[in-house]
Amino acid sequence: MAVLLLSSVSLTGCGGANQQADDLGTKYGPIFESFSAKDIYGADQDENLILNARYTLVLIWSTTCNPCIEGMPKMEALYQEYKAIGVNVLGIVVNLQDQEGNPIPATITDAVSIAEVKGVTFPNIMI
């Protein structure tokens, strides 16, 4: 039953099976609205991080997720190999703020350290 449901969703979702992936940003309007966020280095970022990419792979991670951290070099390799043809990687670090949305400096420092140790050059932003 689940396979049948997934098959029907893949054939009918977002315009049907004949829709081309390149049409997503034009035929049906923008996928993402405008947004603004700080990256882990404190710089302001916005939707321009993803607008010029054909595809963006989003890596959601935290400084306490060992599998996420261990996988970062592979994500970086993917980013380096495919960015020339329009594939982007964007990291979103989920534990850099407290419940009120205030930055946690020690955790941000941890995120920067992790990114540098793992050799990550793709952008990483806060929620």
Side-chain angles (χ1 to χ4, degrees):
M1 181 69 168
V3 173
L4 179 60
L5 179 61
L6 289 175
S7 297
S8 65
V9 169
S10 67
L11 292 175
T12 61
C14 296
N18 294 328
Q19 177 187 347
Q20 297 295 316
D22 292 340
D23 291 342
L24 290 176
T26 56
K27 187 173 181 182
Y28 297 99
I31 300 299
F32 289 99
E33 296 296 323
S34 63
F35 70 89
S36 63
K38 294 272 187 197
D39 67 18
I40 61 175
Y41 300 101
D44 291 323
Q45 300 293 340
D46 59 26
E47 65 277 1
N48 288 312
L49 286 174
I50 58 175
L51 283 181
N52 294 324
R54 286 184 73 188
Y55 305 99
T56 297
L57 177 63
V58 177
L59 172 65
I60 299 173
W61 65 284
S62 80
T63 60
T64 59
C65 176
N66 289 331
C68 304
I69 294 166
E70 292 307 312
M72 288 179 136
K74 290 181 181 179
M75 295 296 287
E76 178 64 23
L78 183 136
Y79 175 62
Q80 292 300 326
E81 185 172 348
Y82 294 106
K83 69 181 178 180
I85 60 169
V87 177
N88 190 23
V89 176
L90 174 63
I92 300 177
V93 193
V94 296
N95 70 326
L96 302 184
Q97 297 143 315
D98 62 22
Q99 291 181 346
E100 288 78 37
N102 301 310
I104 305 170
T107 310
I108 295 170
T109 300
D110 289 345
V112 169
S113 177
I114 290 165
E116 290 175 354
V117 166
K118 294 299 180 180
V120 170
T121 63
F122 57 82
N124 286 277
I125 61 174
M126 297 186 225
I127 295 177

